[in-house]
Each structure stands twice: as structure tokens, then as C-alpha cells.
Amino acid sequence: MHARKATTPEPGHRSPHRPLHVAAPGAAADPTPPRQPSLLTTDSYPEGPRKVVVVLGEVDHETAPALATALREALRTSGEGVDADLSAVRFWDCSGLNVLLRLRREALAVGKTITVRSPSRVVRRVLTLTGTAPLFRPPQPERVPQPERVPRLERAPRLERAPSAFGGHHGSPADN
């Protein structure tokens, strides 16, 4: 077995998520299809003490550095953390997941959080399959413990007097 660069695909293999480029009729087919740039757009805006980063397009090994830069800048300028809106992501692989995991570690180190808002189907699938979805959920508000409810009695039970060993009832002298 010989090593290959991780970014170089095996000859004849391609990502099933990338379109196949076919040569025009009559033209010689080039064995290496023209490389299309991956498309990724990010935008951010403040929302209270948090920053929301909206991500559109594809996140793969080519676009992951741009995503990391956008998220890191949002984290730096936020008060509490970053909410990543990934609803418009069309392609998401482990490169995107690794960006989120690294950013989460950086955020926790400074007392902030990273959440994923509205993950697209492809993002949700990767997060679910890897078991990392709970790491990026919004923190639940802390529940204030409620005092235990003690059942209220309608009426206090009436105590009966016990008969005395000498006959009669024991009680106070006023009872006699």
C-alpha cells in the first residue's frame, strides 16, 4: 500500500455530490474534468450578545478555511458566542464538522458557546451520524427547583383518648 495525498482523489473516483463534467459531442474527452470552484458565502449580524453567521453553499476541504475565518471573527466580536445558521448549506463534509469542533473548543475556553441554527438536511445528517449534534444545541435555561408540594389535609385527624389502665380516660383534670 502506498500513500497518497489526502486531497488527491483516486484515479477514476469522484465525489458523488459533485456534477460530472462531460465533453461536448465530437470533442476529445479530457481525463481530468475542469475544476469548478466550491461556492461558499457567509454573512453575519449581531443578535443581542451573540453573533449569527449565515452560511450559504458548500462546505468542503476547499471552503472550510473561509468558514473558519468567518466563524472565528464572529466569535471574537461576540459577547456570548456564535449561532451558525446552516439552513442553506447544500454540501457538508467532515471539513465543516472539524471547523465547528475546533471553534467550539476555542469558544468554551473563553466562556462562550457555538450553536447550530436550522441545520440543512445534509448538515443534520453528518451531525447525527457522528453523534455531535448535542454539542451544538442551544443551552437550555436552568430550571429553578420547585418546592415539593406537600399534600394538604382537609382536616387534622382527631385523636381519640385511650382508656386508662385504672379505668376511665386519661386526660387533663379539666376533662374529668
Side-chain angles (χ1 to χ4, degrees):
M1 179 180 247
H2 46 279
R4 288 185 183 265
K5 287 174 66 179
T7 58
T8 306
E10 296 268 339
H13 290 94
R14 68 175 187 80
S15 168
H17 304 287
R18 300 272 185 193
L20 177 63
H21 299 284
V22 180
D30 184 7
T32 56
R35 190 166 179 90
Q36 275 191 337
S38 297
L39 301 173
L40 176 71
T41 306
T42 63
D43 191 18
S44 66
Y45 60 91
E47 190 173 274
R50 301 185 66 79
K51 278 279 191 138
V52 177
V53 177
V54 180
V55 182
L56 300 113
E58 302 174 357
V59 179
D60 58 17
H61 72 280
E62 293 175 359
T63 59
L67 175 64
T69 301
L71 290 173
R72 194 168 282 120
E73 177 61 22
L75 180 64
R76 187 183 66 75
T77 59
S78 73
E80 292 182 3
V82 175
D83 297 334
D85 181 341
L86 305 177
S87 59
V89 173
R90 296 185 309 267
F91 180 81
W92 180 269
D93 66 9
C94 290
S95 302
L97 176 60
N98 285 329
V99 167
L100 287 180
L101 290 170
R102 273 188 227 102
L103 190 72
R104 179 178 183 270
R105 187 175 37 227
E106 293 172 19
L108 292 174
V110 293
K112 297 180 183 181
T113 59
I114 303 299
T115 63
V116 172
R117 281 190 183 182
S118 310
S120 67
R121 186 181 58 81
V122 294
V123 174
R124 187 172 32 257
R125 180 169 168 79
V126 171
L127 294 176
T128 301
L129 288 174
T130 59
T132 55
L135 300 176
F136 302 105
R137 289 194 183 122
Q140 299 298 319
E142 291 186 35
R143 292 183 61 195
V144 177
Q146 298 294 322
E148 288 187 38
R149 292 185 178 247
V150 178
R152 197 177 71 142
L153 298 174
E154 292 297 320
R155 238 175 129 181
R158 187 175 179 143
L159 298 175
E160 297 292 324
R161 290 192 188 160
S164 163
F166 301 106
H169 292 312
H170 273 237
S172 66
D175 290 337
N176 291 337

